[in-house]
Amino acid sequence: MLQSGISLQGVMAVPSVLVVAGTHGNEVNAPWLLDRWNQDPELLNSSELTVNPVIGNPAARQASCRYIDRDLNRSFRADLLALDGDAPRPLEVVRAQELIAAYGPKGRVPCQVAIDLHSTTAAMGNCLVVYGRRPVDLALASLVQGSLGLPVYLHEADSAQTGFLVESWPCGLVIEVGPVPQGVLDLRIIRQTRLALETCLASLAAAGQAEPRYPRSLVVHRHLGSVDLPRDQDDQPRAVLHDDVLGSDWRPLRSGQPMFDGCSSDPWPASPQSAFDGGIPVFVNEAAYVEKKIAFSVTQREVWPVLGDWIAALAELMRG
Amino acid sequence: MLQSGISLQGVMAVPSVLVVAGTHGNEVNAPWLLDRWNQDPELLNSSELTVNPVIGNPAARQASCRYIDRDLNRSFRADLLALDGDAPRPLEVVRAQELIAAYGPKGRVPCQVAIDLHSTTAAMGNCLVVYGRRPVDLALASLVQGSLGLPVYLHEADSAQTGFLVESWPCGLVIEVGPVPQGVLDLRIIRQTRLALETCLASLAAAGQAEPRYPRSLVVHRHLGSVDLPRDQDDQPRAVLHDDVLGSDWRPLRSGQPMFDGCSSDPWPASPQSAFDGGIPVFVNEAAYVEKKIAFSVTQREVWPVLGDWIAALAELMRG
């Protein structure tokens, strides 16, 4: 019996999958899982796909921080990837170039799919992040959501946040698990990461088979925008998130509900009506977004039919 | 009417209190509270004591990390404080020297009491940390515990952990609140910090009055030692904390209960009998202790009678 992923006279060339952990150096659970998996292949079911596990940012992992020079997961931008060695490049730009040279679709070990494993301090549970509307990504997310019911955060149309790793591969998404503080190992986070990763791999394997079992629809939470804390003239937060917002990821905001609390005896004035009324918050109090001045992002829940085009695109990709 | 804390012809000299926030730069809630308090004195009741609020490690706060060169709250060691400027000193040693020169009992703005505000990623709730058995500290902890019921972690006899800030003042303790990830503002943490600080200040003010209301006994959780994760030959964790241990701060360990989980199909072997059986874990999965190789510390619950000597010592200190 042939091992999947081994190409034999062009008959069979199931694409390899790149699995990245530690794209942010202080998100430690997925790297721990990949390290243990390297030592014990039984730890994680890869559905007989050829999987290349890699640590995204080893230097930041070593330093126990998110990044050294700049966020690696905002460094896969065409303008940055085009920088050559004539001028000093941020460490993470060099690393992005290395990862593409090694594992990109035309790399030394070509991979067609990238699964990027993250954790968050927000109470997001186990979820998927999809960037834009590539049919292959939506097909993969549909299969995983059909299996596990995970919510999907569709990130798009945000000019302040670009250059995500998975966008440099033909197909890819992020598995995001929380809440967990940066820097600590947590069994629940590890287990949820493993479950989502195994399901992604099983879904990819199934997508190239005769009859993958797709759900009829995909529920996405589409990114609308982000909300910052109110700030004073020194750019410091004058108020913090209200109790009702803290930990409320995936729960719709009520119109006019208090969003902030100044901690004084006077209640913080209600936010004015905005385009976010009725929106659904995600990444509430994510520690890494403090520097980006994002207290939470706001999404809109939408139900999309799973299209035949998505299914066909992922089938074609996975048949090699 | 005289303002408390103003010395008048030697008749009245209620000691000043130093309140430190941000001794660790990524514990952001207490610094936020002190900043807001500076702008709105109504935010926090100081019981008419003279309080000097200060940011412990402004450089680390600016850099959003625990410390720059070394842990400031392990830098108040006699050998480090004796270093002079002839040789390069770690930034935090310089800062420790500055704080003592400014606010030490013989400093430019002399303070007799130091309250040091911290947060933790562990599910410690609102609690006090006392270092050693100074009668004044035990008296203060008794009054606060009598008012709020907060648990007290008595840290002593740990040669690996020395040089705590409050030990450089005649009286002092740490207020420790969690769980909260490093770097994020959380209203619950801010409120608990404020409540504990207000109660410390009210207790100090009362201690110098005619009839402070002490409880009969003080419950302490006395430090016995610390537990690391099991490690492989590369010094990497082979297992993580078991579900039953995670989040179990202040709950007694059962004899032989599983402490770790290797995430494989085989359960991790139970730990051998140890002096920690029946002990009570604290600081379970504190992110800052990963580098110190402390997965949790173990304590023993003890009930001590509140002694007249403690009461007299704190009364004497607070009467100036």
Side-chain angles (χ1 to χ4, degrees):
Chain A
M1 191 177 150
L2 286 172
Q3 191 187 346
S4 297
I6 303 290
S7 176
L8 182 67
Q9 298 167 337
V11 175
M12 191 176 172
V14 175
S16 293
V17 178
L18 176 66
V19 174
V20 189
T23 295
H24 297 132
N26 54 9
E27 298 174 7
V28 298
N29 286 280
W32 186 86
L33 179 64
L34 291 200
D35 283 351
R36 303 315 298 172
W37 188 24
N38 269 330
Q39 299 181 22
D40 175 10
E42 300 293 311
L43 195 66
L44 200 148
N45 181 357
S46 62
S47 296
E48 299 190 357
L49 290 174
T50 300
V51 174
N52 297 289
V54 66
I55 300 298
N57 196 338
R61 187 191 190 192
Q62 181 69 30
S64 302
C65 57
R66 183 173 173 93
Y67 56 80
I68 303 294
D69 292 333
R70 56 172 288 128
D71 191 332
L72 176 59
N73 204 30
R74 305 293 185 279
S75 296
F76 288 79
R77 260 173 30 202
D79 60 327
L80 295 172
L81 295 174
L83 293 175
D84 60 27
D86 294 343
R89 288 165 295 172
L91 180 142
E92 279 77 11
V93 170
V94 175
R95 182 60 180 153
Q97 293 168 334
E98 284 174 1
L99 286 169
I100 292 173
Y103 300 106
K106 296 174 180 170
R108 295 188 300 278
V109 182
C111 297
Q112 297 298 313
V113 184
I115 308 293
D116 192 14
L117 307 176
H118 288 255
S119 65
T120 170
T121 64
M124 295 279 278
N126 199 354
C127 64
L128 307 178
V129 186
V130 173
Y131 300 90
R133 305 188 182 201
R134 297 189 299 193
V136 284
D137 296 345
L138 297 174
L140 175 57
S142 299
L143 282 170
V144 175
Q145 189 174 74
S147 293
L148 296 178
L150 302 188
V152 172
Y153 173 38
L154 182 85
H155 191 92
E156 65 177 9
D158 182 355
S159 59
Q161 304 288 334
T162 60
F164 298 96
L165 181 147
V166 299
E167 295 178 303
S168 286
W169 276 260
C171 173
L173 49 72
V174 156
I175 296 171
E176 185 80 63
V177 193
V180 63
Q182 296 168 341
V184 292
L185 294 169
D186 183 317
L187 189 56
R188 293 167 299 193
I189 302 300
I190 294 166
R191 284 194 184 128
Q192 289 182 33
T193 303
R194 176 171 64 182
L195 177 63
L197 175 56
E198 284 181 335
T199 307
C200 278
L201 297 173
S203 299
L204 287 167
Q209 305 295 321
E211 292 186 9
R213 298 183 61 176
Y214 278 89
R216 288 195 186 169
S217 55
L218 171 67
V219 179
V220 301
H221 286 76
R222 183 167 64 81
H223 178 81
L224 297 181
S226 296
V227 176
D228 187 17
L229 298 176
R231 292 182 183 270
D232 62 18
Q233 64 277 16
D234 299 325
D235 214 27
Q236 297 305 308
R238 286 186 300 141
V240 300
L241 288 177
H242 192 276
D243 275 335
D244 289 353
V245 176
L246 209 63
S248 73
D249 303 76
W250 309 115
R251 287 208 307 269
L253 297 165
R254 287 170 286 110
S255 180
Q257 85 168 68
M259 289 205 191
F260 306 110
D261 192 312
C263 229
S264 74
S265 49
D266 301 322
W268 194 262
S271 302
Q273 293 282 324
S274 80
F276 299 154
D277 273 358
I280 298 176
V282 294
F283 285 110
V284 177
N285 242 4
E286 159 57 37
Y289 293 172
V290 170
E291 68 177 17
K292 301 180 199 293
K293 296 189 176 171
I294 296 174
F296 59 93
S297 291
V298 180
T299 67
Q300 176 169 298
R301 184 180 187 274
E302 299 182 357
V303 182
W304 295 356
V306 172
L307 301 182
D309 287 354
W310 304 354
I311 297 173
L314 188 58
E316 187 183 337
L317 182 77
M318 291 309 297
R319 282 174 192 149
Chain B
M1 192 178 151
L2 284 174
Q3 191 187 346
S4 298
I6 302 291
S7 176
L8 182 68
Q9 298 168 338
V11 174
M12 191 178 171
V14 174
S16 294
V17 179
L18 176 66
V19 174
V20 189
T23 296
H24 296 132
N26 54 10
E27 298 174 7
V28 298
N29 287 280
W32 186 85
L33 178 64
L34 291 201
D35 283 351
R36 303 315 298 172
W37 189 24
N38 269 330
Q39 299 181 21
D40 175 10
E42 299 294 310
L43 196 65
L44 200 147
N45 181 357
S46 62
S47 296
E48 300 192 357
L49 290 174
T50 300
V51 174
N52 297 290
V54 66
I55 300 299
N57 196 337
R61 187 190 189 193
Q62 181 68 29
S64 302
C65 59
R66 184 173 172 91
Y67 56 79
I68 303 294
D69 291 334
R70 55 172 287 128
D71 192 331
L72 176 59
N73 204 28
R74 304 294 184 279
S75 296
F76 289 78
R77 263 175 24 204
D79 60 328
L80 296 172
L81 295 174
L83 293 175
D84 59 27
D86 293 344
R89 287 164 296 172
L91 180 143
E92 279 79 9
V93 170
V94 175
R95 182 61 180 154
Q97 294 168 335
E98 283 174 2
L99 286 169
I100 291 172
Y103 300 105
K106 296 175 183 171
R108 295 189 298 279
V109 182
C111 297
Q112 297 299 314
V113 184
I115 308 293
D116 192 16
L117 307 176
H118 288 255
S119 66
T120 170
T121 65
M124 295 279 276
N126 199 354
C127 64
L128 306 178
V129 186
V130 173
Y131 299 89
R133 303 187 183 202
R134 296 188 301 192
V136 285
D137 296 345
L138 297 174
L140 175 56
S142 299
L143 282 171
V144 176
Q145 190 175 74
S147 293
L148 295 179
L150 302 189
V152 172
Y153 173 37
L154 182 84
H155 192 90
E156 65 176 9
D158 183 354
S159 59
Q161 304 290 332
T162 60
F164 297 96
L165 181 147
V166 299
E167 295 178 306
S168 286
W169 276 260
C171 173
L173 47 72
V174 157
I175 296 171
E176 185 79 66
V177 192
V180 63
Q182 296 166 341
V184 291
L185 293 168
D186 183 318
L187 189 57
R188 293 167 299 195
I189 302 301
I190 293 165
R191 285 195 184 128
Q192 289 181 33
T193 303
R194 177 171 63 181
L195 177 63
L197 175 56
E198 285 181 334
T199 308
C200 278
L201 296 174
S203 299
L204 287 166
Q209 305 294 322
E211 292 184 10
R213 298 183 61 177
Y214 278 89
R216 287 194 186 170
S217 55
L218 172 68
V219 179
V220 300
H221 286 77
R222 184 167 64 81
H223 179 80
L224 298 179
S226 297
V227 176
D228 187 19
L229 299 175
R231 292 180 183 273
D232 62 19
Q233 64 276 16
D234 300 324
D235 213 27
Q236 296 305 308
R238 286 186 300 141
V240 300
L241 288 177
H242 192 278
D243 274 335
D244 290 352
V245 177
L246 209 63
S248 74
D249 304 77
W250 309 114
R251 287 209 307 268
L253 298 164
R254 289 169 285 108
S255 180
Q257 85 168 68
M259 289 205 191
F260 306 109
D261 192 310
C263 229
S264 75
S265 49
D266 301 322
W268 194 262
S271 303
Q273 293 283 322
S274 80
F276 299 153
D277 275 359
I280 297 176
V282 293
F283 285 110
V284 177
N285 242 5
E286 160 55 38
Y289 292 172
V290 170
E291 67 177 17
K292 301 181 199 290
K293 295 189 178 172
I294 296 174
F296 58 93
S297 291
V298 180
T299 67
Q300 176 170 297
R301 183 178 187 275
E302 298 182 359
V303 182
W304 295 357
V306 172
L307 300 183
D309 287 355
W310 304 354
I311 297 173
L314 188 58
E316 187 184 338
L317 182 77
M318 292 309 297
R319 282 174 193 148

